[in-house]
Amino acid sequence: MRRRESRLAYLMLAPTFLIVLVIVLGPLLANFWISVKPVGLADLRPPSVLVSERLRGSPKAVGDAVTLEYRLRNSTTDKEIRDVVLTDALPAGLTVTSLPEGCALEGETLTCALGTVPGKWRETLKLEGTVSQAFLDIEDPHEQVEATVTGDADNILTSFEFTLENFARIFDHAEFWSVLRVTFYYTIFGTAGALVLGLFAAQLLHVSFRGRGFLRGLFLFPYVSPVIAVAFTWVVLLDPFSGTVNALATKMGLADQAINFFGQRAVDLHLFGLTIEFPLALTTVIAFEAWRYFPLSFLFILARMQSMNTDVYEAAEMDGATPFQQFWYISLPQLVGILSVLFLLRFIWTFNKFDDIFLLTGGNAGTRTLTVDVYEQGFALSNLGAGAAVAVVVFVVLVVFATLFMTLSPKEEGL
Amino acid sequence: MLAPLLLAVLSGTLWGAVALSVMGVTLTLVSGVVAMPAAGAAALAGACHGVWLVVTGRAGRSASGEALRLAPDLGIDLLLLFVLMMGLSLAMPFSLPFDTHPLMQALALVAALAAVIAANRLCLTGVRLAPMRRYDVELVIIRALKGLGFVFFFIIVALPFYVMVMTSLKSQQALLANPLDLSIDLGQGITSLLRSYVELFTKYDFGTYLWVSTVVSVATVVLTLLFSVPGAYAVARLRFRGQAMLSRSVLLIYMVPAIVLVIPLYAVFSQLGLRNSLTGLLIVYPATTIPVALYMLQGYFRGLPAELEEAGLMDGLSRLGVILKITLPLSLPALASVSLYVFMIAWNEFLFAFMFLDNPDIFTLSRGIVALNSSEVPRQHLMAGAVIATVPVLFIFLWFERFLVQGLTAGSVKG
C-alpha cells in the first residue's frame, strides 16, 4: 500500500519534475558550460554549405544543350565543414552529357561528394546535358526539386573546446566592479524603500473607514500592471523635454532647467559648502523599484497586522502608552518576523530584477546592474560566453543569499 | 499652554501649504495654465485658522457635532480662511489674474480651503487651550502624518496612471504645444479622441497582439494547472520519500532569475527552431509558473479535511475520482486565485517575449509595445499601447480582487 502510494506520488510529480529539469535546472547548468566557451551570437547558426542552382542556356528545341550550375559556398569564413555531399534530383527530360568531378548519377538522382571544405570556400559545379520535350514543357524545370547539401561541422556549443577568457574579460573590465556596486545599492535601497513605503501604507489602511477597499485596490495598481506599461509611463512622465514633471518643476520655479532623471549619471549637490555627487539616474530607478513593489510588502504587513491580537493594545492604552510607544514597543516587534522575511525575499527578487532597469534606462547613466550586464554582454555585444559568465556570477551570489535566507528566515512565518 | 498652539500652527501650516499646492498642480494639469500656488500665504492662513480653532475651543467640539449643527461653524471657518487667503496672497492665490479660468480657479480655491478646514478640524479634534498629555500630542501628530500619507500615496499611485490615460488621448500637436495641459477636449468627438487607439489597431496590428497575448496567457494557465494540480495533490496528501525537502526546494526554484535562464534557452531554442515561436513561449512560461502554482495549491489542499477524501476512497472511488469529484470542487477558490495569478504573470511577462519573438505576427502585447518605443512613433501611441496592456489586468484584478489578494499573499513572492 505504502509502496503504491509513493509510486503514485512520483507519477503525479513526474511532469513537473521533467519540465523544471529541462527549462530551469538544465539551463542553470548549461550556463556554466557556455561560460567557459568562446561562443558568440553568430555561432548559434551552425556552419553550413549554401547552394544556389541555376540554368544556363535557353533551350528552344529538343536536343538543345543546357548547363546546370550549382554554386556552393561555406557560410562561415573560418570553420571547415567535413563530408560535404550535394544531392539533387535532375529535372525531367535532361540527358546528361558530362558530369563534374566527384559526382555520380543514379537514375535521376545526382550525388556529389565534395569532401572537406575550408572556410570562405566557394565552388561552382557545372553539369551539361541536352533536353527533350518533357524538359521544355515545364517552366523553370531545375526548380522542381531543391538541391540539398549535407556536411558535418564542429558546433562550438557541443565541442570540447574550453577557455577562461570570458571570466578574465568580465573581471578585468574596470566597469565590472562599478556594476557590482550599483547592483548592491539598487538592491539594498530598492528593497528598503519598498518595505518602508509598504509599512507606512499598511498603517494608513489598518483601521477601517469608508473607501478603504477602494484605496487598497488602488495601492496595488503599480504592482499588478504590466511592467512595460508603468516603466514607459515613468519615462514619459519624467522626460526632460516633454514630461509633465519637468514642465511643472521648471514652470513653477522649482528647478532652473529640466532634469534628465533617467539620462544623467550624477548631479552635484551643494550642501553646507560640501559638494556631493548625487547619482541621479540610479536614485530614480530605485524610486521606481520602491514605487512598484511597495504594494507587495503593504499587502503582507497589512495581513499580519490584521491577525494581531488587539487585547495588548487595550492593555497598553490602560497603562497610558502613547501611540508612538504602542507602535514602537508593540506593533513593530510583532512585525519583525514578516518584515525580515519580506526583506530577504524582496532582496533576492530585487537582485534578480532585469526588466525594470532595462526598460527605464537600458542600463545607461550608471544604472547597469549585474542582470542588465548579462544582456549587455550576451546580446548587445553578441558575446554569449561572456554573458553566461556574468550569469554564473549572478547565480553564485544568489546561492549565497539563498543559503543566508534559509538559515536566517524565522520559521514561524511559514514561508 | 504652548503645546496646543504649536500643534495648531503646525497642522495649519502643513495643511495650508499642502492643500493649496495640490490644488494648484491639479488646476495646472486640468487647465494647462501654470497656476503657481501661493503656498506661503496658504500656510499662514491655515496656521491662523488652526490657532483660531484651538483658541475659540471649536476644535474641541467638532468630533461630537452633527453636520447640520456644524454648518454655521464651517461657514465661519470658510469665510475666515477665504478672507485671510485672499488678503495674504494679494487676491491671487494661484498667481493668476482673475479672468483666466475664473470658474476653475474659484473651484480650486474652495476645494483647497474646504480641505484645510476638514484637515485642521480632524487633526486638532479635542485640542483645547489647556495643558496636554503626551498621549494627545502624539495623537495629533499621528493624525497629521496619516493625512499626509494618504495624500502622498494617492498622488504617487494615481498620477502616473492619470498621465498614462490622458497622454494617450491627446494629439501630437497638443502635446508639443503644452506638455502641462492634460485636459481632454470632449467637444472633438469620440473618433478624434481615440485616434491613437484606432491607429494602433489599424496600422500597428494591436488586435493581433491582444489576441496572441490572450491565447498565450490562457494556455499558460491551463498548462500550469494540468501540471501543478496532480503535483500539489501528491505533495499534500501522499506519503513518499523526499516530501519535506520538496516543498522547500519549490521555493528555491522560484528564486532563480529569468535572466540567468535566458542565454542557454536562447541558444538551445535557436538551434531547435523553437525560439521565434509561440510553442517556445508556451514551454517556458508554464515552467516558470508551475513551481509557485504547486506551492500555493499544496498549501490549500493541506487545509482541506482529509476525512472527506478518505470517505470517498472507502466508497470505492479511485484516487483520480477523489481528486476530480472531491478535492477540486472544494478548492475552486484556490484554483481561481492561482489561475488569475498565473494569468497575470503570463500577461505581464516581458523578458522572454522580448528575447524570443522577432516575427510581428506572433508578438505579445509586451513585445508589441517595446516595438513602439522608437523615435518614429509618437508617445501618445506608446501610452495608448500601455493602456491597452494595462486595462485587461486591472479589470480582472478589480473584478476578482478578493481571489487575487489571496493569491498574491499565498504565492508570496513573484517579483
Side-chain angles (χ1 to χ4, degrees), chain B residues 78-96:
Chain B
L78 191 61
L79 195 67
L80 174 85
L81 260 177
F82 182 74
V83 171
L84 276 171
M85 190 64 232
M86 290 314 256
L88 287 169
S89 67
L90 307 174
M92 289 207 290
F94 295 113
S95 319
L96 287 176

Side-chain angles (χ1 to χ4, degrees), chain B residues 51 55 87 116-118 129 140 148 178-179 189 220 239 257 264 275 277 279 300 323 360 385 388 398 410-411:
Chain B
V51 170
V55 171
V116 174
I117 292 169
L129 206 56
V140 174
L148 208 58
N178 186 356
T220 304
R239 277 158 300 165
R275 186 174 66 79
S277 76
T279 321
Y300 194 87
I323 295 178
I388 294 172
L398 291 176

Side-chain angles (χ1 to χ4, degrees), chain B residues 180-237:
Chain B
L180 277 181
D181 186 6
L182 287 179
S183 60
I184 44 167
D185 179 13
L186 286 174
Q188 61 187 326
I190 193 86
T191 40
S192 162
L193 194 64
L194 298 178
R195 67 180 91 68
S196 293
Y197 295 89
V198 172
E199 210 159 300
L200 282 188
F201 278 104
T202 50
K203 274 197 201 153
Y204 293 89
D205 267 352
F206 261 59
T208 321
Y209 304 165
L210 202 60
W211 173 240
V212 171
S213 263
T214 312
V215 168
V216 167
S217 306
V218 170
T220 304
V221 169
V222 171
L223 287 173
T224 305
L225 286 184
L226 278 182
F227 280 75
S228 59
V229 165
Y233 184 85
V235 173
R237 280 282 184 269

Side-chain angles (χ1 to χ4, degrees), chain A residues 43-46 155 157-158, chain B residues 266-274:
Chain A
D43 296 324
L44 288 184
R45 206 170 294 135
N155 188 333
L157 278 172
T158 48
Chain B
Y266 187 94
V268 173
F269 277 29
S270 291
Q271 311 234 317
L272 297 179
L274 282 172

Side-chain angles (χ1 to χ4, degrees), chain A residues 71-153:
Chain A
R71 296 182 169 205
L72 301 142
R73 91 185 155 82
N74 186 338
S75 68
T76 65
T77 55
D78 54 348
K79 306 226 168 27
E80 63 168 33
I81 305 173
R82 292 178 302 274
D83 298 334
V84 177
V85 177
L86 169 94
T87 325
D88 193 18
L90 287 186
L94 182 72
T95 315
V96 176
T97 52
S98 96
L99 274 175
E101 201 183 325
C103 291
L105 198 58
E106 235 177 84
E108 296 286 281
T109 315
L110 175 78
T111 320
C112 302
L114 299 161
T116 301
V117 303
K120 287 188 193 162
W121 170 83
R122 275 167 190 284
E123 176 82 63
T124 306
L125 297 180
K126 286 188 179 151
L127 184 146
E128 281 157 21
T130 53
V131 301
S132 68
Q133 190 57 42
F135 187 91
L136 294 170
D137 287 345
I138 17 178
E139 212 164 305
D140 293 330
H142 61 290
E143 282 170 11
Q144 292 294 311
V145 179
E146 292 255 343
T148 54
V149 185
T150 55
D152 292 333

Side-chain angles (χ1 to χ4, degrees), chain A residues 325-371:
Chain A
Q325 284 171 334
Q326 287 180 26
F327 176 71
W328 191 255
Y329 294 109
I330 303 176
S331 304
L332 262 194
Q334 294 191 68
L335 291 176
V336 162
I338 188 74
L339 282 177
S340 51
V341 167
L342 274 176
F343 185 83
L344 291 165
L345 276 178
R346 286 300 327 156
F347 191 87
I348 290 176
W349 281 114
T350 314
F351 178 80
N352 287 350
K353 207 76 228 155
F354 165 81
D355 308 3
D356 306 38
I357 295 187
F358 180 73
L359 289 170
L360 290 173
T361 66
N364 298 316
T367 59
R368 188 184 300 174
T369 57
L370 275 177
T371 48

Side-chain angles (χ1 to χ4, degrees), chain A residues 254-256 259 261 264-280 283:
Chain A
L254 297 175
D256 306 333
I259 305 164
F261 285 99
Q264 198 170 354
R265 183 181 286 266
V267 285
D268 291 337
L269 284 187
H270 302 286
L271 281 179
F272 313 114
L274 289 171
T275 306
I276 301 168
E277 253 200 10
F278 180 74
L280 182 65
T283 309

